[in-house]
Amino acid sequence: MQTSYSTDQGAAAYEGQLYDSGFTDKISIKCLTAILFGRLLVKDTGDFQGKLPSSALDVTNAQRTLGLSLSTQALEQSLTGDPQYPEKSVVSTLRKGRAWVKVEDTVTPGSDVYVRHAAGGNGLGSFAGAANTGLAKLAGAQFLTGASANGLAVIEVNFPATTFTPPA
């Protein structure tokens, strides 16, 4: 029998969580590798197939951008490690709307958004507010809130419609 409980509700937000109930546009993307919540997905070789960015061109070419991996409560998660979609999952992907992301450096409202495409920082597909090695500027996104390094910030994305022709 439970005889005590905490009044602490826990974290106010987590990576990949929708920020509000405003208009969103979401698509389902197949991913062959495990995908952490709150990461940028770009086109892979198949139709409606995505991956984490692996080059600056993946981030800067708007025709390759698919969206932000959203969190889900539908998947059982490990008690250790970051929440993620397992290999060969269909990932709920935000194309338009607002969500929480973890940032690797200090960001301010309205600042440009940079995405990691090389090893380092918080990993591939993670976000930053300043240019640095292994990061590329992402069009169609801006920070709505500020945050310190490794904190959570709200990002608004509005990616253009895209075709699902595999990249060259």
Side-chain angles (χ1 to χ4, degrees), residues 120-156:
N122 290 331
L124 296 177
S126 63
F127 298 89
N132 206 336
T133 303
L135 297 166
K137 187 174 177 182
L138 178 64
Q142 71 172 347
F143 289 108
L144 295 183
T145 64
S148 301
N150 292 314
L152 294 174
V154 176
I155 188 173
E156 182 169 33

mmCIF file of all heavy atoms in Angstrom, residues 120-156:
data_model
loop_
_atom_site.group_PDB
_atom_site.id
_atom_site.type_symbol
_atom_site.label_atom_id
_atom_site.label_comp_id
_atom_site.label_asym_id
_atom_site.label_seq_id
_atom_site.Cartn_x
_atom_site.Cartn_y
_atom_site.Cartn_z
ATOM 1 N N GLY A 120 29.455 14.821 -31.865
ATOM 2 C CA GLY A 120 29.747 15.822 -30.847
ATOM 3 C C GLY A 120 28.474 16.380 -30.246
ATOM 4 O O GLY A 120 27.365 15.954 -30.582
ATOM 5 N N GLY A 121 28.635 17.341 -29.341
ATOM 6 C CA GLY A 121 27.493 18.010 -28.720
ATOM 7 C C GLY A 121 26.493 17.029 -28.141
ATOM 8 O O GLY A 121 26.852 16.090 -27.452
ATOM 9 N N ASN A 122 25.222 17.239 -28.439
ATOM 10 C CA ASN A 122 24.145 16.363 -27.960
ATOM 11 C C ASN A 122 23.784 15.279 -28.968
ATOM 12 O O ASN A 122 22.748 14.638 -28.844
ATOM 13 C CB ASN A 122 22.913 17.191 -27.599
ATOM 14 C CG ASN A 122 23.142 18.030 -26.361
ATOM 15 O OD1 ASN A 122 23.924 17.672 -25.490
ATOM 16 N ND2 ASN A 122 22.462 19.166 -26.281
ATOM 17 N N GLY A 123 24.600 15.103 -29.994
ATOM 18 C CA GLY A 123 24.382 14.046 -30.982
ATOM 19 C C GLY A 123 23.749 14.541 -32.266
ATOM 20 O O GLY A 123 23.257 15.667 -32.355
ATOM 21 N N LEU A 124 23.771 13.698 -33.286
ATOM 22 C CA LEU A 124 23.225 14.044 -34.596
ATOM 23 C C LEU A 124 21.770 14.474 -34.491
ATOM 24 O O LEU A 124 20.987 13.882 -33.747
ATOM 25 C CB LEU A 124 23.330 12.854 -35.547
ATOM 26 C CG LEU A 124 24.746 12.379 -35.895
ATOM 27 C CD1 LEU A 124 24.675 11.147 -36.786
ATOM 28 C CD2 LEU A 124 25.552 13.477 -36.559
ATOM 29 N N GLY A 125 21.431 15.524 -35.234
ATOM 30 C CA GLY A 125 20.056 16.003 -35.265
ATOM 31 C C GLY A 125 19.673 16.876 -34.093
ATOM 32 O O GLY A 125 18.533 17.314 -33.995
ATOM 33 N N SER A 126 20.622 17.157 -33.185
ATOM 34 C CA SER A 126 20.316 18.013 -32.033
ATOM 35 C C SER A 126 20.492 19.485 -32.403
ATOM 36 O O SER A 126 20.988 19.811 -33.476
ATOM 37 C CB SER A 126 21.179 17.630 -30.828
ATOM 38 O OG SER A 126 22.551 17.841 -31.105
ATOM 39 N N PHE A 127 20.120 20.378 -31.490
ATOM 40 C CA PHE A 127 19.988 21.792 -31.813
ATOM 41 C C PHE A 127 20.945 22.681 -31.022
ATOM 42 O O PHE A 127 21.328 22.364 -29.901
ATOM 43 C CB PHE A 127 18.547 22.240 -31.560
ATOM 44 C CG PHE A 127 17.573 21.512 -32.429
ATOM 45 C CD1 PHE A 127 17.012 20.310 -32.015
ATOM 46 C CD2 PHE A 127 17.255 21.983 -33.683
ATOM 47 C CE1 PHE A 127 16.138 19.609 -32.820
ATOM 48 C CE2 PHE A 127 16.382 21.295 -34.509
ATOM 49 C CZ PHE A 127 15.823 20.104 -34.072
ATOM 50 N N ALA A 128 21.289 23.823 -31.646
ATOM 51 C CA ALA A 128 22.147 24.833 -31.022
ATOM 52 C C ALA A 128 21.709 26.212 -31.510
ATOM 53 O O ALA A 128 20.959 26.322 -32.484
ATOM 54 C CB ALA A 128 23.613 24.579 -31.371
ATOM 55 N N GLY A 129 22.211 27.245 -30.847
ATOM 56 C CA GLY A 129 21.839 28.605 -31.200
ATOM 57 C C GLY A 129 22.950 29.408 -31.842
ATOM 58 O O GLY A 129 22.772 30.579 -32.153
ATOM 59 N N ALA A 130 24.108 28.796 -32.055
ATOM 60 C CA ALA A 130 25.224 29.508 -32.667
ATOM 61 C C ALA A 130 25.989 28.568 -33.586
ATOM 62 O O ALA A 130 26.045 27.361 -33.349
ATOM 63 C CB ALA A 130 26.153 30.057 -31.593
ATOM 64 N N ALA A 131 26.585 29.148 -34.622
ATOM 65 C CA ALA A 131 27.366 28.356 -35.569
ATOM 66 C C ALA A 131 28.606 27.801 -34.870
ATOM 67 O O ALA A 131 29.198 28.459 -34.018
ATOM 68 C CB ALA A 131 27.773 29.227 -36.755
ATOM 69 N N ASN A 132 28.974 26.586 -35.223
ATOM 70 C CA ASN A 132 30.146 25.947 -34.670
ATOM 71 C C ASN A 132 30.478 24.758 -35.569
ATOM 72 O O ASN A 132 29.688 24.382 -36.430
ATOM 73 C CB ASN A 132 29.882 25.494 -33.227
ATOM 74 C CG ASN A 132 31.142 25.400 -32.410
ATOM 75 O OD1 ASN A 132 32.241 25.232 -32.942
ATOM 76 N ND2 ASN A 132 30.996 25.510 -31.097
ATOM 77 N N THR A 133 31.615 24.143 -35.351
ATOM 78 C CA THR A 133 32.008 22.979 -36.132
ATOM 79 C C THR A 133 30.981 21.862 -35.977
ATOM 80 O O THR A 133 30.552 21.572 -34.870
ATOM 81 C CB THR A 133 33.394 22.477 -35.663
ATOM 82 O OG1 THR A 133 34.324 23.539 -35.778
ATOM 83 C CG2 THR A 133 33.858 21.293 -36.495
ATOM 84 N N GLY A 134 30.581 21.277 -37.093
ATOM 85 C CA GLY A 134 29.633 20.170 -37.068
ATOM 86 C C GLY A 134 28.180 20.591 -37.021
ATOM 87 O O GLY A 134 27.295 19.756 -36.887
ATOM 88 N N LEU A 135 27.926 21.915 -37.141
ATOM 89 C CA LEU A 135 26.562 22.447 -37.122
ATOM 90 C C LEU A 135 26.268 23.171 -38.425
ATOM 91 O O LEU A 135 27.165 23.745 -39.029
ATOM 92 C CB LEU A 135 26.373 23.422 -35.957
ATOM 93 C CG LEU A 135 26.523 22.855 -34.551
ATOM 94 C CD1 LEU A 135 26.644 23.983 -33.537
ATOM 95 C CD2 LEU A 135 25.343 21.970 -34.207
ATOM 96 N N ALA A 136 25.017 23.166 -38.853
ATOM 97 C CA ALA A 136 24.594 23.912 -40.036
ATOM 98 C C ALA A 136 23.289 24.629 -39.713
ATOM 99 O O ALA A 136 22.478 24.135 -38.927
ATOM 100 C CB ALA A 136 24.409 22.982 -41.228
ATOM 101 N N LYS A 137 23.102 25.800 -40.339
ATOM 102 C CA LYS A 137 21.909 26.610 -40.091
ATOM 103 C C LYS A 137 20.686 25.966 -40.742
ATOM 104 O O LYS A 137 20.719 25.550 -41.899
ATOM 105 C CB LYS A 137 22.101 28.017 -40.633
ATOM 106 C CG LYS A 137 20.981 28.964 -40.257
ATOM 107 C CD LYS A 137 21.300 30.370 -40.708
ATOM 108 C CE LYS A 137 20.137 31.303 -40.401
ATOM 109 N NZ LYS A 137 20.442 32.663 -40.880
ATOM 110 N N LEU A 138 19.599 25.909 -39.963
ATOM 111 C CA LEU A 138 18.347 25.301 -40.416
ATOM 112 C C LEU A 138 17.346 26.386 -40.782
ATOM 113 O O LEU A 138 16.976 27.204 -39.943
ATOM 114 C CB LEU A 138 17.771 24.415 -39.307
ATOM 115 C CG LEU A 138 16.437 23.735 -39.582
ATOM 116 C CD1 LEU A 138 16.563 22.737 -40.732
ATOM 117 C CD2 LEU A 138 15.941 23.040 -38.326
ATOM 118 N N ALA A 139 16.894 26.394 -42.040
ATOM 119 C CA ALA A 139 15.862 27.341 -42.471
ATOM 120 C C ALA A 139 14.501 26.823 -42.016
ATOM 121 O O ALA A 139 14.293 25.620 -41.869
ATOM 122 C CB ALA A 139 15.894 27.490 -43.986
ATOM 123 N N GLY A 140 13.573 27.729 -41.758
ATOM 124 C CA GLY A 140 12.219 27.340 -41.402
ATOM 125 C C GLY A 140 12.035 27.030 -39.933
ATOM 126 O O GLY A 140 11.076 26.375 -39.557
ATOM 127 N N ALA A 141 12.973 27.501 -39.088
ATOM 128 C CA ALA A 141 12.882 27.238 -37.653
ATOM 129 C C ALA A 141 13.431 28.424 -36.873
ATOM 130 O O ALA A 141 14.322 29.134 -37.344
ATOM 131 C CB ALA A 141 13.659 25.982 -37.295
ATOM 132 N N GLN A 142 12.863 28.645 -35.674
ATOM 133 C CA GLN A 142 13.403 29.659 -34.770
ATOM 134 C C GLN A 142 13.090 29.260 -33.335
ATOM 135 O O GLN A 142 12.148 28.531 -33.066
ATOM 136 C CB GLN A 142 12.835 31.038 -35.064
ATOM 137 C CG GLN A 142 11.387 31.207 -34.691
ATOM 138 C CD GLN A 142 10.921 32.644 -34.830
ATOM 139 O OE1 GLN A 142 11.723 33.560 -34.983
ATOM 140 N NE2 GLN A 142 9.634 32.856 -34.788
ATOM 141 N N PHE A 143 13.928 29.755 -32.420
ATOM 142 C CA PHE A 143 13.673 29.509 -31.000
ATOM 143 C C PHE A 143 12.652 30.523 -30.497
ATOM 144 O O PHE A 143 12.759 31.713 -30.780
ATOM 145 C CB PHE A 143 14.968 29.626 -30.189
ATOM 146 C CG PHE A 143 15.917 28.488 -30.433
ATOM 147 C CD1 PHE A 143 17.084 28.671 -31.155
ATOM 148 C CD2 PHE A 143 15.635 27.225 -29.935
ATOM 149 C CE1 PHE A 143 17.947 27.620 -31.382
ATOM 150 C CE2 PHE A 143 16.495 26.155 -30.159
ATOM 151 C CZ PHE A 143 17.659 26.365 -30.882
ATOM 152 N N LEU A 144 11.661 30.057 -29.762
ATOM 153 C CA LEU A 144 10.653 30.945 -29.178
ATOM 154 C C LEU A 144 10.977 31.307 -27.743
ATOM 155 O O LEU A 144 10.480 32.294 -27.220
ATOM 156 C CB LEU A 144 9.261 30.304 -29.227
ATOM 157 C CG LEU A 144 8.683 30.059 -30.609
ATOM 158 C CD1 LEU A 144 7.276 29.490 -30.493
ATOM 159 C CD2 LEU A 144 8.673 31.332 -31.436
ATOM 160 N N THR A 145 11.781 30.466 -27.082
ATOM 161 C CA THR A 145 12.196 30.728 -25.703
ATOM 162 C C THR A 145 13.705 30.618 -25.624
ATOM 163 O O THR A 145 14.348 30.024 -26.496
ATOM 164 C CB THR A 145 11.578 29.725 -24.708
ATOM 165 O OG1 THR A 145 12.081 28.420 -25.003
ATOM 166 C CG2 THR A 145 10.061 29.734 -24.769
ATOM 167 N N GLY A 146 14.261 31.164 -24.564
ATOM 168 C CA GLY A 146 15.676 31.030 -24.316
ATOM 169 C C GLY A 146 15.941 29.828 -23.433
ATOM 170 O O GLY A 146 15.039 29.274 -22.808
ATOM 171 N N ALA A 147 17.202 29.406 -23.388
ATOM 172 C CA ALA A 147 17.613 28.305 -22.519
ATOM 173 C C ALA A 147 19.126 28.327 -22.387
ATOM 174 O O ALA A 147 19.827 28.833 -23.269
ATOM 175 C CB ALA A 147 17.160 26.965 -23.074
ATOM 176 N N SER A 148 19.613 27.786 -21.295
ATOM 177 C CA SER A 148 21.053 27.622 -21.085
ATOM 178 C C SER A 148 21.509 26.333 -21.757
ATOM 179 O O SER A 148 20.695 25.493 -22.144
ATOM 180 C CB SER A 148 21.357 27.543 -19.590
ATOM 181 O OG SER A 148 20.918 28.706 -18.947
ATOM 182 N N ALA A 149 22.821 26.161 -21.839
ATOM 183 C CA ALA A 149 23.385 24.945 -22.424
ATOM 184 C C ALA A 149 22.802 23.713 -21.747
ATOM 185 O O ALA A 149 22.681 23.665 -20.520
ATOM 186 C CB ALA A 149 24.896 24.956 -22.291
ATOM 187 N N ASN A 150 22.405 22.739 -22.557
ATOM 188 C CA ASN A 150 21.788 21.481 -22.129
ATOM 189 C C ASN A 150 20.423 21.656 -21.476
ATOM 190 O O ASN A 150 19.902 20.729 -20.859
ATOM 191 C CB ASN A 150 22.725 20.676 -21.229
ATOM 192 C CG ASN A 150 23.917 20.171 -22.000
ATOM 193 O OD1 ASN A 150 23.771 19.639 -23.092
ATOM 194 N ND2 ASN A 150 25.103 20.369 -21.457
ATOM 195 N N GLY A 151 19.830 22.841 -21.641
ATOM 196 C CA GLY A 151 18.473 23.088 -21.172
ATOM 197 C C GLY A 151 17.474 22.832 -22.285
ATOM 198 O O GLY A 151 17.832 22.476 -23.411
ATOM 199 N N LEU A 152 16.198 23.026 -21.977
ATOM 200 C CA LEU A 152 15.134 22.846 -22.960
ATOM 201 C C LEU A 152 14.611 24.193 -23.436
ATOM 202 O O LEU A 152 14.377 25.087 -22.628
ATOM 203 C CB LEU A 152 13.986 22.038 -22.359
ATOM 204 C CG LEU A 152 14.301 20.590 -22.015
ATOM 205 C CD1 LEU A 152 13.115 19.951 -21.302
ATOM 206 C CD2 LEU A 152 14.659 19.783 -23.248
ATOM 207 N N ALA A 153 14.441 24.318 -24.736
ATOM 208 C CA ALA A 153 13.899 25.531 -25.348
ATOM 209 C C ALA A 153 12.762 25.129 -26.285
ATOM 210 O O ALA A 153 12.717 24.003 -26.772
ATOM 211 C CB ALA A 153 14.984 26.269 -26.135
ATOM 212 N N VAL A 154 11.867 26.072 -26.526
ATOM 213 C CA VAL A 154 10.784 25.830 -27.486
ATOM 214 C C VAL A 154 11.262 26.283 -28.861
ATOM 215 O O VAL A 154 11.758 27.395 -29.029
ATOM 216 C CB VAL A 154 9.504 26.595 -27.095
ATOM 217 C CG1 VAL A 154 8.431 26.415 -28.166
ATOM 218 C CG2 VAL A 154 9.001 26.127 -25.741
ATOM 219 N N ILE A 155 11.082 25.392 -29.824
ATOM 220 C CA ILE A 155 11.427 25.697 -31.206
ATOM 221 C C ILE A 155 10.134 25.683 -32.020
ATOM 222 O O ILE A 155 9.249 24.868 -31.771
ATOM 223 C CB ILE A 155 12.442 24.667 -31.756
ATOM 224 C CG1 ILE A 155 12.958 25.063 -33.125
ATOM 225 C CG2 ILE A 155 11.856 23.291 -31.787
ATOM 226 C CD1 ILE A 155 14.081 24.154 -33.621
ATOM 227 N N GLU A 156 10.025 26.633 -32.943
ATOM 228 C CA GLU A 156 8.889 26.630 -33.869
ATOM 229 C C GLU A 156 9.421 26.267 -35.237
ATOM 230 O O GLU A 156 10.405 26.856 -35.705
ATOM 231 C CB GLU A 156 8.205 27.991 -33.913
ATOM 232 C CG GLU A 156 6.994 27.991 -34.827
ATOM 233 C CD GLU A 156 6.151 29.249 -34.682
ATOM 234 O OE1 GLU A 156 6.710 30.323 -34.426
ATOM 235 O OE2 GLU A 156 4.928 29.134 -34.835
#
